[in-house]
Amino acid sequence: MTTDKQFKRAARELAERDGISYTAARRRLAATPEPDVSASLTPDLAAAETGQEPTPPRIYPVTRTVCATECDGTTHPGALCRPWRPEDSKHVRYEVRRAAQLPNGRAGGICHRFEPPAQPYSNNFFARDATWLLALVYAMLTDQRPELRPGRAELRQAVDADDQAAVDVVMEPLDRAAARLLTKVPERWWGEVKPQLQEYADFVDTDDREPLTWQEADDRHAVGRLVDQWRRAWTESRNYNGYMEAPGVLWLAPKGWLDDLLVEQHGGHGDGARVRLTDGRPAIVYAAEWSEAGAPVAYRIRELEPGRHGNIGKLVPSFTSDELVSRDQVAGELNDVA
């Protein structure tokens, strides 16, 4: 039903209820403030008894141009504000706009920057499939901890300047929180992180809050699609061998991307760096531990040992030596990177 038909219907109901003419009812509705005009004139109980549907909500116009950050609505009376979004900044590089868009754009941009491109007949495309998991973590953190969401004014300034480094600075509190949550330790993933994401998925499925703007409705829809993907990842289905198994997700990958991003900003040793410990042992870094600010405070390392069975003369990681060492125990980069 169009807005004009809704207005005529409301005028007829008002004229019948107050015993006035249809023209007088139209004049009264036209002079009524927006919230009163939007209120339903037909009570829900009466509508249920007569079989008549309640009066549909009135459609409010939205401004055609993006509002200023400090807009209070006085410059466009009768219309709702249109808050700025990264995609509204024109003549800006796509990668800059994507890095500022939460949750999917930011997650996809980080994956594109720090996950090596897939080579023919290789399996590293499975890591790129974990992009949606990082997006879900971003959605959960910004929903549960609103203080992590970047300020709209600062983010808009960074995007309009076409400066990806400035966008990373604005997004750093959220990136750091995600890096602290995600892990490469199986016990912590299955015991802490996965149940926390599962609880958030249940919350999203039962969230009945009414979205206030169309932008919020779009965000809810995007998060809902991420939750659907989370459900599918842990739902068993028959694989190509005929066995029932859950597809799962390569949950180790996003942690490595975030570590590389923060190391790029603050220094330290990134994922895969070969280092020498202060006691002389060679090791390889496969995860970093972060505090509230600054460089990594500790590293998860695996000791390097001489290879065997075709790897003679090379140093290879020992998968049985999972060790957490402080930053002070790392002497520096390993000169022999063979």
Side-chain angles (χ1 to χ4, degrees), residues 222-241:
V223 175
R225 291 175 64 90
L226 293 174
V227 169
D228 290 342
Q229 199 153 2
W230 170 265
R231 301 289 191 200
R232 290 194 298 270
W234 310 112
T235 301
E236 288 190 349
S237 59
R238 196 171 301 278
N239 62 19
Y240 63 91
N241 287 324

Side-chain angles (χ1 to χ4, degrees), residues 17-329:
R17 186 187 67 184
D18 293 353
I20 60 178
S21 66
Y22 173 76
T23 304
R26 286 183 62 93
R27 285 199 299 267
R28 182 183 298 183
L29 286 178
T32 304
E34 290 292 329
D36 295 335
V37 174
S38 303
S40 174
L41 294 175
T42 303
D44 293 339
L45 180 59
E49 292 176 352
T50 60
Q52 183 181 9
E53 65 178 7
T55 303
R58 183 165 181 183
I59 301 176
Y60 291 97
V62 181
T63 58
R64 293 181 178 273
T65 58
V66 178
C67 294
T69 307
E70 65 279 359
C71 180
D72 57 2
T74 56
T75 57
H76 48 79
L80 299 179
C81 288
R82 181 183 173 185
W84 173 85
R85 285 184 150 193
E87 53 265 32
D88 293 324
S89 293
K90 309 302 180 183
H91 310 295
V92 174
R93 288 175 297 162
Y94 169 70
E95 55 267 24
V96 175
R97 286 184 279 117
R98 182 170 63 167
Q101 189 267 328
L102 289 172
N104 292 291
R106 181 71 180 170
I110 291 179
C111 171
H112 180 76
R113 289 162 61 182
F114 297 102
E115 178 64 29
Q119 300 296 327
Y121 308 107
S122 68
N123 293 326
N124 64 345
F125 64 89
F126 288 116
R128 290 178 173 265
D129 287 344
T131 304
W132 65 266
L133 179 63
L134 179 56
L136 182 62
V137 170
Y138 280 146
M140 181 183 70
L141 290 174
T142 53
D143 202 1
Q144 295 179 348
R145 300 173 58 186
E147 69 276 8
L148 293 176
R149 184 176 289 274
R152 195 181 300 273
E154 294 81 4
L155 188 60
R156 183 175 183 176
Q157 182 179 3
V159 173
D160 289 341
D162 199 11
D163 188 350
Q164 190 170 24
V167 173
D168 290 341
V169 171
V170 178
M171 289 284 188
E172 182 179 339
L174 179 59
D175 293 331
R176 190 175 287 268
R180 296 178 67 185
L181 174 68
L182 291 172
T183 180
K184 289 188 176 182
V185 181
E187 293 81 6
R188 184 164 174 262
W189 163 260
W190 296 105
E192 300 178 21
V193 182
K194 184 177 182 291
Q196 187 173 347
L197 289 169
Q198 183 67 43
E199 183 180 354
Y200 177 68
D202 295 337
F203 166 77
V204 172
D205 285 341
T206 58
D207 185 13
D208 57 356
R209 293 175 297 174
E210 189 69 24
L212 302 179
T213 62
W214 62 269
Q215 292 94 339
E216 186 177 346
D218 283 351
D219 293 341
R220 294 274 188 88
H221 177 69
V223 175
R225 291 175 64 90
L226 293 174
V227 169
D228 290 342
Q229 199 153 2
W230 170 265
R231 301 289 191 200
R232 290 194 298 270
W234 310 112
T235 301
E236 288 190 349
S237 59
R238 196 171 301 278
N239 62 19
Y240 63 91
N241 287 324
Y243 297 100
M244 298 295 293
E245 66 174 0
V249 60
L250 192 58
W251 46 269
L252 303 92
K255 170 64 173 173
W257 305 337
L258 292 170
D259 285 348
D260 290 341
L261 172 67
L262 295 174
V263 165
E264 186 179 84
Q265 298 174 5
H266 298 282
H269 304 287
D271 182 20
R274 291 175 172 240
V275 298
R276 186 174 297 280
L277 305 182
T278 53
D279 58 8
R281 289 180 298 158
I284 186 170
V285 175
Y286 74 99
E289 299 294 328
W290 301 91
S291 62
E292 294 292 341
V297 295
Y299 298 99
R300 290 200 171 271
I301 59 98
R302 283 176 177 162
E303 193 173 350
L304 291 174
E305 59 183 15
R308 301 185 301 273
H309 309 297
N311 289 321
I312 299 176
K314 297 181 180 180
L315 293 177
V316 297
S318 173
F319 295 107
T320 60
S321 62
D322 185 348
E323 185 178 350
L324 179 66
V325 300
S326 66
R327 179 175 54 189
D328 298 336
Q329 292 180 259

